[in-house]
Amino acid sequence: MNDLQPGKRVVVRYALHPGDTHATSDALGVIRAVDDQAVEIDTKQGPVRVERTRILVVHEVPPAPTRAGRTHRVVSAVDLRRISAAAWLPADSSWLQIDNLREEVSDADSDLGLLSKGWLLRSSDSATQRANSALPVTDTGLGWEQSLDAVEAWYATRDKPARVQIYSADPSTALAPECAGLAPLLSARGYSTSESTLLLTGATKEAAGGVVSPRDAAAPGLVIDVSDRPTETHFAVWASQRDPGSAQAFRALIEADQPCSVVTAYAPRADGSRSLVATCRIVERNKWGVMTNLVTHPELRRRGAGRSVIRAAAAMLAQRGVRSYLVDVESSNAASLALFESLGASVQHRSWYATQRQG
């Protein structure tokens, strides 16, 4: 049962008595732990342990809403950050939390799902900040100052400056409670802050604009292709847009998550070949679609390729039963922001990368 993974929010239908499929009950919550015999689920009524032999059906469900409204607008900032992080997770990742430290859990032995509390520490030889930063998720149990000390020590062992991804609870600039206590510490220790990145969410059906099949989203003169693995051309285009750092590490980030889809708009040539015009990577997490790596070839812009790719990706997600998607866009990227907003997406919160000054 692939849905029985720590950290996932699920509903589990199970038999109240072994072998009896008539008397059943449901457990809705986040999976805390899984072993060969049973699964433990955190529900509103408390933890529920269900023997594997009594499980009848498992369904993954989106994060719990924080208020009434459309699905993509009622999920908390911290849950959106969790979903986004899960689609761009380097192999060198660990959770900073006092219980983990007490149990002397090493990076090599830790299960990121099982220990998904505290701050997520991420390191990669790629150049991306998201894969090289600490993400505050829940209280570490160490206090703000000692937590930041531990982050700095963790990155120091990797010969890197410490970096923390901080974020707001809504579109304003006020930090979310999960990282609000860091502001005075980061300032006092001389951290520099990046430009803001906006997280937008939208409904897949609205973004698809009535398109049912991804290939029907192509603008005139273009064709849409959907694959489960990028080509060398994709990597070349991504690298041309921004320094990826280690090519091997960048590939590992791109290809690590499954299911992963790459939606691409091509321009056919008379000789039968084709040119890549725009592309986007899509990862499904927690019944959300996470869109990353959206690029349009600089010399082939203004042909509707970016819009075609996003509409095709949204149609593909809708076909799979995924109702909501999210995307992180730098605040200076006016073209991408305008594109997503024109397709019905809206800004939910902001994030910044605070980096330790060296020397």
Side-chain angles (χ1 to χ4, degrees):
M1 296 183 180
N2 292 331
D3 287 329
L4 292 179
Q5 296 178 9
K8 283 192 173 185
R9 187 167 183 261
V10 298
V11 58
V12 175
R13 175 156 294 178
Y14 60 96
L16 291 173
H17 307 288
D20 183 359
T21 60
H22 298 289
T24 64
S25 184
D26 292 334
L28 170 63
V30 176
I31 296 177
R32 172 191 287 182
V34 178
D35 56 38
D36 292 339
Q37 286 74 43
V39 56
E40 187 171 340
I41 304 166
D42 276 332
T43 72
K44 287 185 177 180
Q45 293 74 38
V48 175
R49 184 175 173 83
V50 181
E51 295 174 5
R52 281 179 173 267
T53 55
R54 290 196 283 146
I55 295 176
L56 303 176
V57 179
V58 179
H59 286 300
E60 184 180 6
V61 295
T66 58
R67 59 190 182 279
R70 300 183 69 185
T71 303
H72 67 277
R73 293 179 178 168
V74 297
V75 175
S76 69
V78 68
D79 278 330
L80 291 173
R81 291 265 53 98
R82 282 180 185 267
I83 296 168
S84 179
W88 196 252
L89 191 64
D92 187 9
S93 300
S94 183
W95 286 96
L96 173 64
Q97 212 279 337
I98 191 169
D99 291 340
N100 300 349
L101 297 176
R102 286 170 177 165
E103 295 168 10
E104 297 183 349
V105 178
S106 69
D107 290 348
D109 297 332
S110 65
D111 182 321
L112 290 176
L114 180 61
L115 305 172
S116 56
K117 56 184 179 179
W119 293 6
L120 175 60
L121 310 181
R122 302 165 290 189
S123 177
S124 169
D125 289 333
S126 70
T128 174
Q129 295 187 96
R130 185 168 16 170
N132 285 284
S133 58
L135 175 67
V137 177
T138 65
D139 184 9
T140 65
L142 300 170
W144 295 109
E145 189 164 359
Q146 192 174 351
S147 295
L148 189 55
D149 289 343
V151 168
E152 292 176 354
W154 194 83
Y155 283 101
T157 63
R158 290 156 174 79
D159 295 320
K160 294 181 177 181
R163 182 179 291 119
V164 183
Q165 185 179 14
I166 53 178
Y167 52 94
S168 64
D170 52 45
S172 73
T173 58
L175 292 184
E178 291 80 9
C179 49
L182 278 169
L185 285 175
L186 295 171
S187 177
R189 297 191 187 190
Y191 278 64
S192 59
T193 305
S194 69
E195 72 167 296
S196 64
T197 297
L198 308 183
L199 185 145
L200 295 86
T201 66
T204 55
K205 286 188 177 180
E206 183 177 1
V211 173
V212 176
S213 170
R215 289 174 173 81
D216 293 338
L222 300 175
V223 295
I224 293 292
D225 177 77
V226 179
S227 62
D228 59 4
R229 190 168 296 277
T231 66
E232 293 300 323
T233 302
H234 288 95
F235 284 112
V237 170
W238 285 323
S240 71
Q241 300 293 299
R242 180 176 296 181
D243 176 17
S246 163
Q248 182 178 358
F250 181 68
R251 283 176 177 270
L253 279 172
I254 291 287
E255 297 178 337
D257 293 293
Q258 297 295 335
C260 172
S261 300
V262 181
V263 179
T264 307
Y266 290 100
R269 297 193 187 105
D271 62 2
S273 62
R274 57 187 186 177
S275 299
L276 189 155
V277 184
T279 189
C280 182
R281 170 181 175 266
I282 300 93
V283 176
E284 295 176 40
R285 284 290 179 269
N286 296 94
K287 289 297 183 181
W288 278 69
V290 182
M291 297 189 184
T292 71
N293 303 91
L294 172 64
V295 297
T296 301
H297 196 292
E299 298 177 0
L300 299 172
R301 289 173 178 163
R302 302 186 183 280
R303 300 181 60 173
R307 180 176 297 272
S308 295
V309 164
I310 298 306
R311 278 194 160 169
M316 176 193 70
L317 289 167
Q319 278 185 335
R320 297 175 180 175
V322 178
R323 295 190 294 173
S324 305
Y325 70 92
L326 65 82
V327 60
D328 283 296
V329 181
E330 292 175 344
S331 57
S332 60
N333 192 341
S336 287
L337 290 172
L339 170 60
F340 281 104
E341 289 175 343
S342 72
L343 294 174
S346 58
V347 176
Q348 299 305 307
H349 71 257
R350 301 169 182 266
S351 66
W352 302 262
Y353 293 99
T355 304
Q356 184 183 32
R357 288 198 180 99
Q358 297 294 285

